[in-house]
Structures are given as structure tokens and as C-alpha cells.
Amino acid sequence: MKDQILSAIRQRLQARGLDAYIAYTPSNVFYATGFQSYFLMQWWRMQGTVLAVIPADESVEVGMMVGDFEAKPAQRVSGIEDVRAYRLWPEIRDAEAVQEPLGSGESEMPRPAQFDEGEQDEIVRGLLGDRGLLGARIGTDLRYMLLDSHRRFSALAPEAEWVDFTGDMYELRRIKYPFEVERLRRATELSEAGMRFAVENLAPGMSATDVRHRYVMGVARAAMEDPRYQDYSDQWILPAVGAGVGIGVDSERGAGLQDGDLIKFDCGTTVGGYRGDGGRTFAYGKVKPTAGRLFGVLQEAHDRACAEIRPGVEVGEIFRIAQDHITKNGYPRFRRGHYGHSLGIDTFHEEPPYVSEGDRTIIESGMVLAIETPAYTTDAGAIMIEDLVHVLPGGIERLHRLPHGLTVIS
């Protein structure tokens, strides 16, 4: 599968008249190589420290730069032969090697506090130079590149022309291979297990933070009990209880769960590097009329939008269907910027295209879209109705399986 991904990148480079692509963002390094660098994926300040150089010419091998702590797994997972490592701060040699006495006049080279930028720059210069790319037209993720990285790239290859390739990579990534769909399916299954566990045995006074903790516990329990989820790595959740509609833990400490409150889940898990997204809403004890009415219209809008998703339709048309249904059925002032998005491997799960007004992106078979019709109201409560839908030649497959409808939890 990695060969197919690399071939698609190379074909796009050739179509753009580019000589090479440097994968820079954590997502694109992972997508192009299959290797998830812990340093790069977890810490944004490490951007620019793990790279892949992909020549447009298929006869020229791919090269990679990575810290020495991760060099062996990077080569094993990616299958790239030319992996060049710079020194990071940890000592990684065996105890037997480091206890060997120093010879006369011998000294050990000190390790850097983090890494040596000069050493990194020499590696990048070598990767480009050995492939005849120092004066080439090179695509990279300029939209999300640190200014310092751009300065250093420009200095080490002053005759190169740097071209933004960000949009091209999102276009390539929005059509999912079967293995990607499977990872998103498993991420969805885990998230639904977390939601089911979270709403068991709720009690008055529980906060959104309590719901958060129960969701995390439910996801972990499901992951531990089934080897299908051995590649699970993390989860995220934006819960709400009652009138609390803010985002973040500082907004989750309200009056506590009361009869008639809504419990909103907007959440996902990551399996094999693929981050899911979805949500459901539950009512505690009873459904208040204002909440039931709003929920009903939003559910209808969601159903109508999903029913029209098929290859050949513009994503902007799906937005119009959802928006029109809401405004024509009792909520003429209701507005949202989008009713869904693509997703996959970015740490922020929303990826383009967005199901937004005027977006002319044509829906294609193989896409996976998150379709959502939420509302954040302090009177009715927060509502989330969101499914992942896999676009098939003749319609969609819903990856979420939890029932729709405002389920009452007692």
C-alpha cells in the first residue's frame, strides 16, 4: 500500500511540474512513509526534525531524516533504505558499550541538549544533493511550515524553488484506501464503546468532566478486551451537560446533571494513526419540549443530507440541503459554517474539504466524511448528531452504528 501512496504522490508531482516533495507535517510524514514519529506526532515544536524526500522520478529512491532514537523503527516500518539520523539528547547505546574504558587521548562526543540544527541541515542538504535536487522545484507543506524551517531550507538549497504542496496532499488523502477505512471503522467502534459506557449509571450532579472520565474509561476497557484494537493510541472528547456548551475542561464544571438535561458527545479515538470523529446526544430522565423540537429538526436535516451523498455531487450541495431544512422548519436564523468535513490523520480531526456553502469539491467514491448537524444552545442544551460515512459507488456506508434519536437515560 505504501508503494501505491508514493506512486500517487509522484504522479501528482509530475503533473505539477515539480521535481520532488519534502513531507514536513506530522500527518504527511506518516502518510508518505507509514512511520509515526513519536517526537514529531506529539510535540509541535519538533516540526522540521523528521522529513521524507520523495523524488518525482520513480527510479530515484526516497530518503528520510529522523533522530537516532527512532532511526531503526523508522527504517523497519517505512522500508526506506536511505534513513539518515542525527543525534538526539538520550543515550541509546547498550550498557556494555558505554562502560568500556576510554583509550588514551580518546573522548566521547557530547550529545546536544535537544538536537543540532547544523547536523540536521547537513543531512537535508545531502539528501537533496545526492538526488540532484539542490536546484530543483520542490513541493512541500509551506502552509504549515515554521518560519525557521523555511529560512533554513532556503539557506541550505538557495537555488531551489519551494512550492506549496499542501492542497495537493489533502486532495490525495481525501480518497481513502481500504486499510484507512478499516482503521477509521475500528476507531469509530471504540468511540461508540466509550459513549455506551459513559451513559451507564449516570447520577444527578455529575458534571461534563465526569462524563469525560467515564468515556475515557470505556474506551480503554474496550481496547484492552479486544486485540482488534491493539493499535489504539489515544482519544478526544468534547462533552456537555445541560446548559454547558463551552469547549475545554474549564467549561465542563457546571451545576451538574439534572432531570431533563441533554448530554452531548463529540468525540473520537485514534487507531493505527487514524483519528475518528462522531457524536450522539442523550437526555437524562426526560426530554424537554424545546430540546426535542430542535433535535428533531437537526436529525431530519442530518438524514436528508446523508441521503444525497453519492459520487458526483458537490459537497456544497450537501451543505445547502442541511441548512435549508433547518431554516425552513422553525429556525430561520440558524447558521453554521459547515455541516461536515473529511478526516484522517491530522491531530485536529477536521480536514478539507468542508461541507460548506460554495465548496465545489466533487464527492468521490472512497471518501470518508463526517456529517454533522449540531447546535450549542444554553436553553435547549448542546446537541451533536454526527456520523462517519464511507462513500460507495451507489451511496454510503455509515461507520457509526449507535442508534439515532434522542435516547432517554434514567
Side-chain angles (χ1 to χ4, degrees):
M1 195 57 64
K2 282 178 286 189
D3 290 342
Q4 288 181 264
I5 290 173
L6 287 175
S7 180
I9 293 172
R10 284 170 151 155
Q11 289 175 25
R12 180 59 66 94
L13 288 170
Q14 293 165 13
R16 288 282 311 273
L18 299 174
D19 301 303
Y21 167 61
I22 292 184
Y24 176 89
T25 64
S27 301
N28 285 335
V29 171
F30 171 46
Y31 187 71
T33 68
F35 174 67
Q36 297 181 74
S37 163
Y38 181 85
F39 294 104
L40 184 63
M41 301 290 284
Q42 298 293 325
W43 299 322
W44 65 266
R45 286 192 298 113
M46 299 295 281
Q47 285 203 164
T49 64
V50 181
L51 305 169
V53 177
I54 303 168
D57 185 345
E58 298 208 13
S59 67
V60 182
E61 67 174 340
V62 175
M64 188 174 183
M65 177 179 77
V66 67
D68 57 357
F69 204 177
E70 297 184 307
K72 288 183 179 179
Q75 189 170 54
R76 173 177 52 81
V77 172
S78 70
I80 297 171
E81 292 293 331
D82 188 7
V83 174
R84 306 187 189 187
Y86 56 87
R87 292 171 303 145
L88 286 166
W89 63 94
E91 174 59 78
I92 60 174
R93 293 172 295 180
D94 291 341
E96 183 177 352
V98 296
Q99 71 183 5
E100 184 177 338
L102 292 171
S104 176
E106 184 182 5
S107 63
E108 282 287 342
M109 181 179 295
R111 283 186 171 268
Q114 279 200 302
F115 48 80
D116 185 319
E117 293 183 353
E119 185 180 10
Q120 292 175 339
D121 292 348
E122 283 303 311
I123 289 175
V124 177
R125 183 181 290 109
L127 287 169
L128 295 176
D130 291 349
R131 290 160 176 79
L133 297 171
L134 287 173
R137 298 186 74 235
I138 302 174
T140 190
D141 309 317
L142 285 181
R143 187 185 306 172
Y144 300 121
M145 181 174 286
L146 298 177
L147 178 61
D148 183 65
S149 296
H150 187 267
R151 174 188 61 79
R152 290 164 57 192
F153 283 5
S154 299
L156 66 88
E159 296 182 6
E161 178 185 353
W162 300 94
V163 179
D164 188 27
F165 203 63
T166 307
D168 297 84
M169 288 302 296
Y170 275 124
E171 288 182 13
L172 291 172
R173 283 165 44 188
R174 71 189 182 203
I175 307 298
K176 301 296 189 282
Y177 294 95
F179 84 91
E180 297 178 286
V181 177
E182 180 59 26
R183 292 184 188 185
L184 288 169
R185 179 179 288 107
R186 295 185 186 190
T188 302
E189 293 169 0
L190 266 185
S191 185
E192 292 195 325
M195 285 190 277
R196 285 194 298 268
F197 182 85
V199 297
E200 292 177 359
N201 303 315
L202 292 177
M206 283 187 172
S207 68
T209 299
D210 295 322
V211 173
R212 169 190 294 277
H213 293 161
R214 292 179 64 82
Y215 172 80
V216 172
M217 184 181 298
V219 169
R221 283 166 57 105
M224 289 188 294
E225 292 171 356
D226 193 332
R228 293 178 68 251
Y229 307 124
Q230 62 182 346
D231 292 330
Y232 158 72
S233 59
D234 58 81
Q235 79 293 310
W236 65 272
I237 177 172
L238 299 174
V241 167
V245 298
I247 291 178
V249 292
D250 291 334
S251 302
E252 294 175 7
R253 302 178 183 92
L257 187 61
Q258 302 176 38
D259 198 41
D261 278 350
L262 296 185
I263 306 152
K264 183 267 290 182
F265 290 87
D266 185 8
C267 49
T269 75
T270 306
V271 174
Y274 283 75
R275 177 162 290 201
D277 184 16
R280 289 292 186 270
T281 307
F282 300 84
Y284 186 65
K286 65 181 181 182
V287 178
K288 295 178 180 178
T290 53
R293 180 168 177 265
L294 177 57
F295 184 94
V297 172
L298 294 174
Q299 182 65 69
E300 291 169 356
H302 189 272
D303 290 342
R304 288 172 178 263
C306 288
E308 296 303 317
I309 296 173
R310 60 185 180 276
V313 176
E314 291 183 359
V315 296
E317 175 65 11
I318 306 304
F319 172 91
R320 185 194 63 76
I321 292 167
Q323 183 66 61
D324 285 357
H325 183 80
I326 296 168
T327 55
K328 292 177 180 178
N329 286 273
Y331 301 95
R333 294 180 180 272
F334 189 99
R335 295 292 184 275
R336 261 187 70 82
H338 72 253
Y339 288 102
H341 50 84
S342 183
L343 79 169
I345 53 180
D346 278 359
T347 50
F348 177 45
H349 49 276
E350 297 186 359
E351 299 183 10
Y354 297 92
V355 182
S356 57
E357 187 174 15
D359 193 306
R360 307 299 300 273
T361 301
I362 302 298
I363 295 174
E364 299 178 66
S365 181
M367 285 183 170
V368 176
L369 299 172
I371 302 299
E372 57 183 331
T373 51
Y376 302 88
T377 69
T378 56
D379 48 4
I383 294 171
M384 176 58 72
I385 305 165
E386 184 173 19
D387 284 343
L388 292 192
V389 298
H390 176 210
V391 181
L392 304 174
I396 61 170
E397 171 201 12
R398 293 182 192 250
L399 301 190
H400 280 83
R401 298 299 178 88
L402 278 179
H404 293 103
L406 194 51
T407 303
V408 176
I409 303 297
S410 58

